[in-house]
Amino acid sequence: MKKLEIKWMSLMKKQSLILNSLILFFFQIFIFSSYSQELKYISGKAIISDGDTIKINGEKIRFGGIDAPETNFFGKKQFCYLDDLEVSCGNQSKEKLTEKIGKNSVRCFIEKNKDKYKRYVGECFLNNKSLSVYMVRSGFAFDYPKYSKGKFKKDQDFAKYYSLGLWNMQFEYPWIWRKKNR
């Protein structure tokens, strides 16, 4: 009799485990299907506009939470200074991103709202690594506190500490430079 009870209890535990697994499985499908309607992504080959903006499949995407020097802001280029040498830091930033992406495909997770220039805003990844983190950590873009809530501050502190990229030059933050050059 005891063997029969033990077998029956074992069978009940297996059935309970299977039932719980099925419930969890369907719950995950439900959750992810509702997220997929909210989350949007764009992927493909990127054309680099500057150090924080790319175009994929004809769609302009601005990297959210970071800011890079300007390559062409209403016809003006942003410059930085290395000793007495004037450097087109907007072009340097663009070249750094171009070099990083190469001919690889990029995947961008897009935020709900576009920016004031009607560009998509998102975070883009190359081989599951954030291009925003890369640009800030290498010193060719900056954490943009107005929009980032400090998300990239540690990466910026790293670049600043080691004088990487633009941190070995005199520069104005792009948001300050744009305000002066409108």
Side-chain angles (χ1 to χ4, degrees), residues 67 69 80-82 89 92 134-144 152-175:
D67 203 2
C80 300
Y81 299 91
L82 181 60
C89 46
Q92 279 194 339
Y134 172 78
M135 291 301 289
V136 173
R137 193 168 181 85
S138 63
F140 288 93
F142 305 98
D143 178 71
Y144 197 174
F152 305 102
K153 186 179 180 335
K154 288 182 182 178
D155 300 302
Q156 180 169 290
D157 291 344
F158 177 88
K160 185 177 181 179
Y161 181 81
Y162 289 105
S163 298
L164 300 176
L166 307 175
W167 289 101
N168 71 356
M169 300 181 207
Q170 292 178 325
F171 64 84
E172 284 186 298
Y173 288 110
W175 55 90

Side-chain angles (χ1 to χ4, degrees), residues 48-90:
I48 292 77
S49 302
D50 62 24
D52 60 15
T53 308
I54 62 175
K55 191 184 281 189
I56 298 176
N57 303 326
E59 303 289 354
K60 269 197 164 187
I61 304 160
R62 169 77 158 76
F63 295 176
I66 73 167
D67 203 2
E70 297 295 336
T71 56
N72 182 6
F73 183 71
F74 298 107
K76 297 178 184 174
K77 290 183 180 186
Q78 185 173 354
F79 291 97
C80 300
Y81 299 91
L82 181 60
D83 299 321
D84 291 331
L85 183 65
E86 189 175 66
V87 177
S88 176
C89 46

Side-chain angles (χ1 to χ4, degrees), residues 26-116:
F26 285 112
F27 178 73
Q28 287 176 332
I29 288 175
F30 172 76
I31 292 297
F32 286 122
S33 69
S34 64
Y35 266 124
S36 68
Q37 294 168 5
E38 292 176 24
L39 292 178
K40 180 177 180 176
Y41 69 90
I42 298 172
S43 62
K45 302 287 182 190
I47 297 169
I48 292 77
S49 302
D50 62 24
D52 60 15
T53 308
I54 62 175
K55 191 184 281 189
I56 298 176
N57 303 326
E59 303 289 354
K60 269 197 164 187
I61 304 160
R62 169 77 158 76
F63 295 176
I66 73 167
D67 203 2
E70 297 295 336
T71 56
N72 182 6
F73 183 71
F74 298 107
K76 297 178 184 174
K77 290 183 180 186
Q78 185 173 354
F79 291 97
C80 300
Y81 299 91
L82 181 60
D83 299 321
D84 291 331
L85 183 65
E86 189 175 66
V87 177
S88 176
C89 46
N91 284 336
Q92 279 194 339
S93 180
K94 178 181 177 178
E95 288 170 15
K96 188 71 171 176
L97 185 59
T98 301
E99 177 185 294
K100 177 68 174 172
I101 293 174
K103 295 181 188 249
N104 297 301
S105 194
V106 173
R107 184 176 182 136
C108 303
F109 292 91
I110 304 302
E111 295 176 12
K112 186 177 178 180
N113 299 317
K114 291 184 175 184
D115 70 4
K116 65 182 179 181

